[in-house]
Amino acid sequence: MKEKRSTSRPDRARISGLDLHVDVTGPGLRAALTRAVRDAVRSGRLTPGNRLPSSRSLATDLGVARNTVVDAYADLTAEGWLVAVPGSGTRVADRVQPRRTVAAAGEAVPTLRFPAHGLLPGAPNLAQFPRTKWLSSARRALTTAPHDAFSYGDPLGRPELRTALAEYLARARGVDVDPTRVVVCAGFYQGLTLLAQALKARRTRMVAVEAYGFEVYRNILRNNGLAVSAVPVDEHGARIDEVAKAEGIGAVLLTPAHQYPTGAALEPDRRNAAVEWARRTGGVLLEDDYDGEFRYDREPVGALQSLDPDRVVYFGSASKSLAPGLRLAWMVPPTALIPAIVAAKGDVDWSSAFEQLTLADFITTGAYDRHIRSTRLRYRRRRDELVTALADRVPRVRVTGVAAGLQAVVELPRGTEASAVRAAAELGLAVKGLGEFRFGPMSAETPERDALVIGYATPTDSAWAGALSTLCTALQTVTE
Amino acid sequence: MKEKRSTSRPDRARISGLDLHVDVTGPGLRAALTRAVRDAVRSGRLTPGNRLPSSRSLATDLGVARNTVVDAYADLTAEGWLVAVPGSGTRVADRVQPRRTVAAAGEAVPTLRFPAHGLLPGAPNLAQFPRTKWLSSARRALTTAPHDAFSYGDPLGRPELRTALAEYLARARGVDVDPTRVVVCAGFYQGLTLLAQALKARRTRMVAVEAYGFEVYRNILRNNGLAVSAVPVDEHGARIDEVAKAEGIGAVLLTPAHQYPTGAALEPDRRNAAVEWARRTGGVLLEDDYDGEFRYDREPVGALQSLDPDRVVYFGSASKSLAPGLRLAWMVPPTALIPAIVAAKGDVDWSSAFEQLTLADFITTGAYDRHIRSTRLRYRRRRDELVTALADRVPRVRVTGVAAGLQAVVELPRGTEASAVRAAAELGLAVKGLGEFRFGPMSAETPERDALVIGYATPTDSAWAGALSTLCTALQTVTE
């Protein structure tokens, strides 16, 4: 489950006082960064007296050399835009008169964008992408690959990656799998698209999806000719009993480990009931294990798929564990569905062989496990800090859902969701209301809820404390 | 236009006397190679007295360290399977009694496959993939990328790559383009799929395709709800006059620079007629410029797209210029079609950001141009050698089409195509008959032809001379 680029849309360009997020791409980094800061001051997004981040932390956040930032700051100081205050860092010069003009969005490459300071769900901490280790794996992969690896690939994906994933998924997620049943996809988006086409080919008409979820996935199903109905969700996960009562459902899309976004874990009785439903009706369960590795209060619950590999399609992805930009996901479907999935792929691999070989090396050398372990600690700490800060500063709200994943649900007093989102936005902080994920009408089974879905993984380390504090401030204003 | 994996299908496992093609993947290269050769001798695919390739050339062909081959040969010599003959290399030992058993295909990873010695069209020389330069670009790309590059990407693709491609395509192919109009895709397969969906959305019903072409592409159009009709092809390319006469055609898929696979260049009058047709009818031209950089007798003809960027969708790809395994292609559609293409992509990028940044660096540093230049020389030499060898040894056949690309058409005496394919197969050489590419009935406009489509790019350098000689031998037997 994921959100797309929400933090980088130019139309949400905004900047908070002490956190400068500059997306500088393309050649001429120093000039681009200089222009970006200059434009921010000119347009009033940075105001006189604002302190800029240290060159070291901005360089880390942007992923550029520290000297690039030092040089850009020096240029701007020479031009009179900035002033270096001994012992207090670099600030916007006092004499600057902001002109409140807005630059045209996306005017030229390199593009410069000032995204909101955000706590949006759907992505990991990209500043912690393990570049050096990934590059080592890439080097080994490229050096040792047979020539044949550069040709049109097996539509199931590179055998090296399927072997590595099979071992990993069996060990870490309890998936019932061997390499011949792993299908590599260009992201969960492609995986679900392929599955929708395979289901359509076997005359499935309707897919039940959780009453809270990511709208894009419902659209994928619809765009591939499937009807979509809602399954109520409560604090124990999806109400499988409601699926069993309904007519005409051929498949159910579930997030058993950590319901997206409400955060419930599907309870054991319901896991069994789901598999029983599939066996009785010939239906298929789609298990979206988008963040299954990230459980903080206990060992992760193993995959539902292992209860019946002939009835459950397991989906996993590198988008939460590593980075969405890799566009690598995988599924373990029942053997009987594989020919239809291969046909939907057009009998060709859609994913870069080089990237697949790199991930295979990254997994088999243990770097993947190490990365999961270290990010798990970091996200766990952030979740704890979120819970503590809210308990401390905004006692009227409550964090719900299991201690897991990359986002948490903050339950609000009735009727305050929209004003909470607005209050945060006014402070330069982008957050999502739970209502954006809702599907289907309110009912006794799915009562109205007011809540925020807080993605605590995405901010850089330097932005996290400020974002959390801003969130608390915003929530104080609406709950007091 | 491409063929998939035809040279590596285990069901075509075969080996010619002096060319050992072993696909060794996964860990344990030395053991795997040893087992592969041992199995080949046991099953009689290598017979006593057969000389094995030198360790240097086999290592190059397989993309493994030379020592791996030296060690494997040493193991096999110690076991008595091979014998080192001073001054004459390594041969299969005389005392070996072949057992004619066939090993089960794909029994375990690492997989070992003995593909046919082949001259199949559709892929470049993968042994010449510029691994070292590519890795340098990958290192620079990964080191300098902003963190944001690892997030969900712009559905049009990374701006760095779109900028690099726009500059390259304008310069090298005369495309009328700027970065905002470049759309990156996961191979031409995805590009055509997206276009088909965009055409369907604007109520196009029928797409005309050339009467010779790649069947997979016709199927993509059909699978997306479009009807497909045939345009006759002659030695001047597609018969645009026949498109103009027909009713109900909303788009035409063309290969103007080098008709696939017949090799004709679309003549200037027909290029103009195609654009006129599109303007008059509101139709769209799809220009598949799959190998436009490879012209040997003159400067390449520029893209048809420049005649009317509002009526032509330009498609290019890294599959012929670098390697299909990258899964990187691009299109430059009319601006008006871009929203429908983005919608078909689900508003998300499907291609690895890292791979896109690597190609962007590879282009902007000049490595792409250098690679094109050097492979152009190599392919040109191979085409010349093909023409010369056939003129010399098989005077009854004739190479047709312009001097360009990665494949040539060898015209055969009437009625001999099937027997030529069979004769080559009996000598362990996989080739394709032109008939496999034919679409639509024979007619006065599209008369019957007997020919082979010879892909001269794919063999490794060590396999090329043998493959060419085998081709001549096979054709001698059917034309004499």
PDB file of all heavy atoms in Angstrom, chain A residues 79-98:
ATOM      1  N   GLU A  79      26.211  37.363  -2.268  1.00  0.00           N
ATOM      2  CA  GLU A  79      25.179  38.126  -2.963  1.00  0.00           C
ATOM      3  C   GLU A  79      24.309  38.930  -2.006  1.00  0.00           C
ATOM      4  O   GLU A  79      23.460  39.712  -2.442  1.00  0.00           O
ATOM      5  CB  GLU A  79      24.285  37.176  -3.766  1.00  0.00           C
ATOM      6  CG  GLU A  79      24.958  36.570  -4.995  1.00  0.00           C
ATOM      7  CD  GLU A  79      24.102  35.478  -5.631  1.00  0.00           C
ATOM      8  OE1 GLU A  79      22.879  35.501  -5.444  1.00  0.00           O
ATOM      9  OE2 GLU A  79      24.674  34.604  -6.303  1.00  0.00           O
ATOM     10  N   GLY A  80      24.455  38.658  -0.702  1.00  0.00           N
ATOM     11  CA  GLY A  80      23.685  39.433   0.264  1.00  0.00           C
ATOM     12  C   GLY A  80      22.369  38.799   0.685  1.00  0.00           C
ATOM     13  O   GLY A  80      21.605  39.401   1.442  1.00  0.00           O
ATOM     14  N   TRP A  81      22.088  37.618   0.209  1.00  0.00           N
ATOM     15  CA  TRP A  81      20.823  36.976   0.585  1.00  0.00           C
ATOM     16  C   TRP A  81      20.910  36.369   1.978  1.00  0.00           C
ATOM     17  O   TRP A  81      19.946  36.385   2.723  1.00  0.00           O
ATOM     18  CB  TRP A  81      20.462  35.872  -0.412  1.00  0.00           C
ATOM     19  CG  TRP A  81      20.246  36.369  -1.799  1.00  0.00           C
ATOM     20  CD1 TRP A  81      21.132  36.339  -2.822  1.00  0.00           C
ATOM     21  CD2 TRP A  81      19.067  36.984  -2.314  1.00  0.00           C
ATOM     22  NE1 TRP A  81      20.587  36.896  -3.955  1.00  0.00           N
ATOM     23  CE2 TRP A  81      19.312  37.298  -3.658  1.00  0.00           C
ATOM     24  CE3 TRP A  81      17.823  37.318  -1.755  1.00  0.00           C
ATOM     25  CZ2 TRP A  81      18.362  37.914  -4.467  1.00  0.00           C
ATOM     26  CZ3 TRP A  81      16.868  37.918  -2.569  1.00  0.00           C
ATOM     27  CH2 TRP A  81      17.145  38.223  -3.905  1.00  0.00           C
ATOM     28  N   LEU A  82      22.073  35.796   2.278  1.00  0.00           N
ATOM     29  CA  LEU A  82      22.239  35.114   3.556  1.00  0.00           C
ATOM     30  C   LEU A  82      23.301  35.836   4.372  1.00  0.00           C
ATOM     31  O   LEU A  82      24.103  36.602   3.833  1.00  0.00           O
ATOM     32  CB  LEU A  82      22.673  33.653   3.350  1.00  0.00           C
ATOM     33  CG  LEU A  82      21.766  32.774   2.507  1.00  0.00           C
ATOM     34  CD1 LEU A  82      22.306  31.347   2.482  1.00  0.00           C
ATOM     35  CD2 LEU A  82      20.327  32.789   3.054  1.00  0.00           C
ATOM     36  N   VAL A  83      23.310  35.538   5.656  1.00  0.00           N
ATOM     37  CA  VAL A  83      24.336  36.105   6.509  1.00  0.00           C
ATOM     38  C   VAL A  83      24.790  35.020   7.483  1.00  0.00           C
ATOM     39  O   VAL A  83      23.972  34.263   8.007  1.00  0.00           O
ATOM     40  CB  VAL A  83      23.810  37.378   7.234  1.00  0.00           C
ATOM     41  CG1 VAL A  83      22.587  37.043   8.096  1.00  0.00           C
ATOM     42  CG2 VAL A  83      24.892  38.017   8.072  1.00  0.00           C
ATOM     43  N   ALA A  84      26.119  34.901   7.625  1.00  0.00           N
ATOM     44  CA  ALA A  84      26.655  33.903   8.548  1.00  0.00           C
ATOM     45  C   ALA A  84      26.765  34.530   9.923  1.00  0.00           C
ATOM     46  O   ALA A  84      27.433  35.553  10.090  1.00  0.00           O
ATOM     47  CB  ALA A  84      28.017  33.414   8.068  1.00  0.00           C
ATOM     48  N   VAL A  85      26.080  33.954  10.913  1.00  0.00           N
ATOM     49  CA  VAL A  85      26.090  34.492  12.264  1.00  0.00           C
ATOM     50  C   VAL A  85      26.980  33.598  13.126  1.00  0.00           C
ATOM     51  O   VAL A  85      26.635  32.436  13.332  1.00  0.00           O
ATOM     52  CB  VAL A  85      24.660  34.526  12.860  1.00  0.00           C
ATOM     53  CG1 VAL A  85      24.677  35.175  14.242  1.00  0.00           C
ATOM     54  CG2 VAL A  85      23.705  35.234  11.914  1.00  0.00           C
ATOM     55  N   PRO A  86      28.122  34.116  13.576  1.00  0.00           N
ATOM     56  CA  PRO A  86      29.040  33.248  14.318  1.00  0.00           C
ATOM     57  C   PRO A  86      28.319  32.594  15.494  1.00  0.00           C
ATOM     58  O   PRO A  86      27.587  33.261  16.235  1.00  0.00           O
ATOM     59  CB  PRO A  86      30.136  34.209  14.794  1.00  0.00           C
ATOM     60  CG  PRO A  86      30.103  35.335  13.809  1.00  0.00           C
ATOM     61  CD  PRO A  86      28.671  35.477  13.412  1.00  0.00           C
ATOM     62  N   GLY A  87      28.507  31.277  15.640  1.00  0.00           N
ATOM     63  CA  GLY A  87      27.886  30.537  16.732  1.00  0.00           C
ATOM     64  C   GLY A  87      26.416  30.249  16.520  1.00  0.00           C
ATOM     65  O   GLY A  87      25.788  29.581  17.321  1.00  0.00           O
ATOM     66  N   SER A  88      25.844  30.734  15.431  1.00  0.00           N
ATOM     67  CA  SER A  88      24.399  30.573  15.258  1.00  0.00           C
ATOM     68  C   SER A  88      24.027  30.136  13.847  1.00  0.00           C
ATOM     69  O   SER A  88      22.876  30.143  13.451  1.00  0.00           O
ATOM     70  CB  SER A  88      23.721  31.900  15.618  1.00  0.00           C
ATOM     71  OG  SER A  88      22.376  31.909  15.265  1.00  0.00           O
ATOM     72  N   GLY A  89      25.041  29.800  13.046  1.00  0.00           N
ATOM     73  CA  GLY A  89      24.755  29.258  11.722  1.00  0.00           C
ATOM     74  C   GLY A  89      24.447  30.329  10.699  1.00  0.00           C
ATOM     75  O   GLY A  89      24.785  31.510  10.860  1.00  0.00           O
ATOM     76  N   THR A  90      23.775  29.920   9.644  1.00  0.00           N
ATOM     77  CA  THR A  90      23.486  30.800   8.517  1.00  0.00           C
ATOM     78  C   THR A  90      22.011  31.177   8.533  1.00  0.00           C
ATOM     79  O   THR A  90      21.153  30.322   8.680  1.00  0.00           O
ATOM     80  CB  THR A  90      23.833  30.070   7.202  1.00  0.00           C
ATOM     81  OG1 THR A  90      25.198  29.677   7.262  1.00  0.00           O
ATOM     82  CG2 THR A  90      23.609  30.952   5.995  1.00  0.00           C
ATOM     83  N   ARG A  91      21.762  32.490   8.381  1.00  0.00           N
ATOM     84  CA  ARG A  91      20.379  32.966   8.407  1.00  0.00           C
ATOM     85  C   ARG A  91      20.071  33.789   7.163  1.00  0.00           C
ATOM     86  O   ARG A  91      20.965  34.278   6.487  1.00  0.00           O
ATOM     87  CB  ARG A  91      20.139  33.836   9.646  1.00  0.00           C
ATOM     88  CG  ARG A  91      20.233  33.074  10.944  1.00  0.00           C
ATOM     89  CD  ARG A  91      20.076  33.997  12.151  1.00  0.00           C
ATOM     90  NE  ARG A  91      20.170  33.230  13.382  1.00  0.00           N
ATOM     91  CZ  ARG A  91      19.138  32.592  13.960  1.00  0.00           C
ATOM     92  NH1 ARG A  91      17.941  32.659  13.414  1.00  0.00           N
ATOM     93  NH2 ARG A  91      19.314  31.909  15.075  1.00  0.00           N
ATOM     94  N   VAL A  92      18.787  33.979   6.916  1.00  0.00           N
ATOM     95  CA  VAL A  92      18.375  34.860   5.838  1.00  0.00           C
ATOM     96  C   VAL A  92      18.643  36.296   6.300  1.00  0.00           C
ATOM     97  O   VAL A  92      18.297  36.669   7.422  1.00  0.00           O
ATOM     98  CB  VAL A  92      16.880  34.681   5.515  1.00  0.00           C
ATOM     99  CG1 VAL A  92      16.444  35.649   4.420  1.00  0.00           C
ATOM    100  CG2 VAL A  92      16.610  33.240   5.091  1.00  0.00           C
ATOM    101  N   ALA A  93      19.295  37.060   5.421  1.00  0.00           N
ATOM    102  CA  ALA A  93      19.703  38.419   5.789  1.00  0.00           C
ATOM    103  C   ALA A  93      18.495  39.295   6.077  1.00  0.00           C
ATOM    104  O   ALA A  93      17.435  39.150   5.463  1.00  0.00           O
ATOM    105  CB  ALA A  93      20.541  39.035   4.660  1.00  0.00           C
ATOM    106  N   ASP A  94      18.674  40.215   7.015  1.00  0.00           N
ATOM    107  CA  ASP A  94      17.560  41.057   7.451  1.00  0.00           C
ATOM    108  C   ASP A  94      17.076  42.028   6.391  1.00  0.00           C
ATOM    109  O   ASP A  94      15.894  42.326   6.306  1.00  0.00           O
ATOM    110  CB  ASP A  94      17.971  41.845   8.701  1.00  0.00           C
ATOM    111  CG  ASP A  94      17.822  41.013   9.946  1.00  0.00           C
ATOM    112  OD1 ASP A  94      16.956  40.086   9.938  1.00  0.00           O
ATOM    113  OD2 ASP A  94      18.547  41.251  10.913  1.00  0.00           O
ATOM    114  N   ARG A  95      18.031  42.541   5.616  1.00  0.00           N
ATOM    115  CA  ARG A  95      17.656  43.615   4.693  1.00  0.00           C
ATOM    116  C   ARG A  95      16.860  43.116   3.484  1.00  0.00           C
ATOM    117  O   ARG A  95      16.385  43.896   2.673  1.00  0.00           O
ATOM    118  CB  ARG A  95      18.907  44.347   4.204  1.00  0.00           C
ATOM    119  CG  ARG A  95      19.847  43.474   3.405  1.00  0.00           C
ATOM    120  CD  ARG A  95      20.966  44.292   2.778  1.00  0.00           C
ATOM    121  NE  ARG A  95      21.727  43.495   1.837  1.00  0.00           N
ATOM    122  CZ  ARG A  95      21.311  43.180   0.627  1.00  0.00           C
ATOM    123  NH1 ARG A  95      20.123  43.559   0.192  1.00  0.00           N
ATOM    124  NH2 ARG A  95      22.087  42.453  -0.165  1.00  0.00           N
ATOM    125  N   VAL A  96      16.721  41.780   3.390  1.00  0.00           N
ATOM    126  CA  VAL A  96      16.026  41.242   2.230  1.00  0.00           C
ATOM    127  C   VAL A  96      14.538  41.556   2.306  1.00  0.00           C
ATOM    128  O   VAL A  96      13.888  41.315   3.311  1.00  0.00           O
ATOM    129  CB  VAL A  96      16.221  39.715   2.150  1.00  0.00           C
ATOM    130  CG1 VAL A  96      15.326  39.137   1.068  1.00  0.00           C
ATOM    131  CG2 VAL A  96      17.679  39.388   1.875  1.00  0.00           C
ATOM    132  N   GLN A  97      14.016  42.141   1.250  1.00  0.00           N
ATOM    133  CA  GLN A  97      12.580  42.393   1.179  1.00  0.00           C
ATOM    134  C   GLN A  97      11.935  41.320   0.319  1.00  0.00           C
ATOM    135  O   GLN A  97      12.130  41.297  -0.889  1.00  0.00           O
ATOM    136  CB  GLN A  97      12.318  43.761   0.554  1.00  0.00           C
ATOM    137  CG  GLN A  97      12.749  44.923   1.429  1.00  0.00           C
ATOM    138  CD  GLN A  97      12.004  44.948   2.760  1.00  0.00           C
ATOM    139  OE1 GLN A  97      10.807  44.667   2.814  1.00  0.00           O
ATOM    140  NE2 GLN A  97      12.713  45.273   3.843  1.00  0.00           N
ATOM    141  N   PRO A  98      11.184  40.431   0.935  1.00  0.00           N
ATOM    142  CA  PRO A  98      10.599  39.388   0.085  1.00  0.00           C
ATOM    143  C   PRO A  98       9.606  39.960  -0.925  1.00  0.00           C
ATOM    144  O   PRO A  98       8.821  40.847  -0.604  1.00  0.00           O
ATOM    145  CB  PRO A  98       9.899  38.471   1.089  1.00  0.00           C
ATOM    146  CG  PRO A  98       9.764  39.282   2.336  1.00  0.00           C
ATOM    147  CD  PRO A  98      10.868  40.278   2.341  1.00  0.00           C
TER     148      PRO A  98
END
